[in-house]
Amino acid sequence: MFDDNNDTVAERNSKGNPTDDTLKLDTKCMYAGKLERTKQWRETTHTHPFCEIMFVLLGSGEVTVDGMAYPVSKGDIVVYNPNTPHSESTPANEGFELAFFGITNFQIGNLALDYLIAAGKSPVLHSGKEEQKFEMYFRSLVAEVNENRQYGDLMTKYWSRLILIDVLRLADISDAKFVTNAIFARIHNYLLNNYLKVESMDQICSDLHVSKYYVSHVFKKYIGTPPMQYVAKKRISHAKKLLQETDMSASEIGENCGYKDHVLFFKAFKKSEGMTPIQYRKTIRAQRKK
């Protein structure tokens, strides 16, 4: 338990070696907001004198931190330590929607004030099975800031502190959840840029010069799904956008999304969305007219 004036001490056991990590919390939420989905967007590199935590609500893109690029997608959490140069960017065919906030006045173990990740650790954390919970946290925080309701300051402090603590808890589940594997980054970045063209696991392995077992093992470890399942999900997501934003025929969209056989596209789409592509388009357009 904690209140605004007391410290908490969390005893954690890492790799069988018990350690005492002091967690000091008198947090202050500096701001919170949401960036709407934007395609082919690149932010100017900048820094903050406090910690910023970001959650990818929709889509995918890339973050650059201290000159190193990391692919990110829906459900990922990104941590920017104080005074760390960073920026975000999105590809031409897909943007992303982000929720974010700045937080200060905390100290974790031997880390510097307001530092959430140690030197050498990746700033990207996959929420995995905790995705829905974190999405609820971030949306609630942003709503409190935007609605400016009574006791809003207390609620923003509550939500931002809750996110901070659960990020620590999530990171402690397994160090492997941090994206420290350069091979995974290569695989993910390759699929992010080539999912419309990838035909098989053999093609992925050939292009990246990595064994099939390693690709499957590493990718599933970090993302939670096999590579080709990820490709299929990205294709359907792209098809949904084309159905919403263009007047292309369903067959044309299927071909655009990498399906050479339109029957396979129709089957894949219906399996994913529970309706045909045309039914999906009609449903979306009917909802917009309301």
Side-chain angles (χ1 to χ4, degrees), residues 183-201:
I183 297 296
F184 164 74
R186 281 181 58 210
I187 298 168
H188 190 238
N189 195 51
Y190 171 85
L191 293 180
L192 191 62
N193 290 295
N194 295 282
Y195 65 88
L196 296 177
K197 298 180 288 186
V198 169
E199 296 292 338
S200 65
M201 278 288 291

Side-chain angles (χ1 to χ4, degrees), residues 89-237:
S89 61
T90 57
N93 61 346
E94 182 176 19
F96 54 15
E97 184 177 318
L98 309 172
F100 55 86
F101 68 100
I103 188 168
T104 188
N105 292 345
F106 67 89
Q107 187 160 18
I108 300 164
N110 294 322
L111 295 179
L113 184 68
D114 293 345
Y115 273 65
L116 187 49
I117 53 175
K121 287 286 188 179
S122 167
V124 181
L125 180 66
H126 299 302
S127 60
K129 294 179 180 179
E130 305 290 300
E131 180 180 338
Q132 290 186 342
K133 180 176 71 173
F134 275 102
E135 180 174 344
M136 183 273 288
Y137 287 170
F138 275 86
R139 289 191 184 278
S140 297
L141 173 59
V142 172
E144 282 295 336
V145 172
N146 290 339
E147 292 170 8
N148 195 27
R149 297 167 61 192
Q150 189 178 20
Y151 307 120
D153 288 345
L154 289 175
M155 290 301 294
T156 55
K157 175 179 282 191
Y158 165 78
W159 285 116
S160 61
R161 186 181 292 185
L162 186 60
I163 293 170
L164 175 66
I165 294 170
D166 255 0
V167 166
L168 289 172
R169 179 182 288 172
L170 180 66
D172 277 346
I173 292 173
S174 169
D175 286 341
K177 281 185 174 288
F178 278 104
V179 187
T180 56
N181 193 304
I183 297 296
F184 164 74
R186 281 181 58 210
I187 298 168
H188 190 238
N189 195 51
Y190 171 85
L191 293 180
L192 191 62
N193 290 295
N194 295 282
Y195 65 88
L196 296 177
K197 298 180 288 186
V198 169
E199 296 292 338
S200 65
M201 278 288 291
D202 288 336
Q203 181 183 344
I204 298 171
C205 297
S206 175
D207 289 350
L208 295 178
H209 305 290
V210 180
S211 75
K212 187 179 293 186
Y213 169 80
Y214 196 73
V215 169
S216 297
H217 178 73
V218 170
F219 199 83
K220 191 169 183 180
K221 176 180 177 182
Y222 288 116
I223 294 294
T225 59
M228 292 309 295
Q229 188 174 321
Y230 174 82
V231 167
K233 184 178 178 181
K234 296 290 289 181
R235 286 180 173 181
I236 296 300
S237 177

Side-chain angles (χ1 to χ4, degrees), residues 35-86:
L35 174 70
E36 297 297 336
R37 198 167 192 165
T38 307
K39 298 178 182 179
Q40 205 166 8
W41 172 76
R42 181 173 295 276
E43 185 185 36
T44 303
T45 301
H46 61 286
T47 64
H48 304 289
F50 43 81
C51 180
E52 185 177 61
I53 304 176
M54 183 177 77
F55 183 77
V56 183
L57 295 166
L58 290 171
S60 59
E62 186 177 82
V63 297
T64 301
V65 186
D66 257 347
M68 292 189 65
Y70 303 86
V72 294
S73 57
K74 185 177 183 297
D76 282 350
I77 298 165
V78 183
V79 175
Y80 298 131
N81 278 336
N83 305 309
T84 302
H86 62 272

